[in-house]
Amino acid sequence: MDIIITNSSGKPIYEQITSQMKDLILSGVLAEGQQLPSIRALASDLRISVITTKRAYADLEAQGFIETVQGKGSFVAGGNLELLREERLRRVEELLSQAIDEARSADIEAADLIDMLTLLIESNDHEQLA
């Protein structure tokens, strides 16, 4: 599991861990039921405070992405496919909203933005088939 912490990010370290772990879960890199590194092990690997790692795990658990079993560790939560889908939809909406804001600031018409999105989708579909 590769988590990269950057000091240049505007996000606190625990949020960087949380968002990267969510991405790993949403993309399927971390599978349902898979055990995560212990809080201490992850803190040691990342050379950060155990408190910071604990906060990230607590946030992930509160959001339903992981489950912690006392004495056994933390695991990728199972049976939350709808929750994961909603998280992905929310993320896509957020990214599209950012694209709309950028388009507005560049005086790009809605029809042109839709054409761009259509071309990108078609290009991506073609690349996946190749």
Side-chain angles (χ1 to χ4, degrees):
M1 177 171 62
D2 291 328
I3 294 180
I4 299 166
I5 304 299
T6 60
N7 292 329
S8 61
S9 172
K11 285 183 175 179
I13 293 172
Y14 76 91
E15 282 184 17
Q16 292 180 51
I17 295 168
T18 301
S19 70
Q20 288 181 52
M21 288 185 88
K22 279 201 271 188
D23 288 344
L24 292 170
I25 292 168
L26 292 171
S27 67
V29 172
L30 293 175
E32 177 182 322
Q34 184 173 345
Q35 186 168 13
L36 301 173
S38 72
I39 290 171
R40 288 187 187 281
L42 185 60
S44 176
D45 288 349
L46 297 176
R47 294 185 173 99
I48 59 171
S49 164
V50 171
I51 294 169
T52 302
T53 309
K54 187 174 183 177
R55 169 106 188 250
Y57 274 39
D59 285 357
L60 287 164
E61 190 165 13
Q63 294 172 28
F65 284 92
I66 68 172
E67 298 170 339
T68 301
V69 179
Q70 192 66 28
K72 292 193 177 183
S74 297
F75 302 84
V76 176
N80 289 329
L81 295 178
E82 192 60 34
L83 173 70
L84 295 177
R85 179 168 165 63
E86 282 299 316
E87 179 69 19
R88 281 192 133 158
L89 286 172
R90 186 194 61 73
R91 186 169 171 213
V92 168
E93 287 172 356
E94 184 178 297
L95 291 169
L96 288 172
S97 180
Q98 289 175 9
I100 291 167
D101 291 345
E102 284 292 319
R104 281 190 181 133
S105 68
D107 291 327
I108 296 172
E109 298 290 324
D112 292 334
L113 186 59
I114 291 168
D115 288 343
M116 282 181 196
L117 183 58
T118 302
L119 287 171
L120 287 169
I121 290 169
E122 290 170 355
S123 172
N124 193 306
D125 287 345
H126 181 19
E127 289 175 9
Q128 288 181 355
L129 294 175

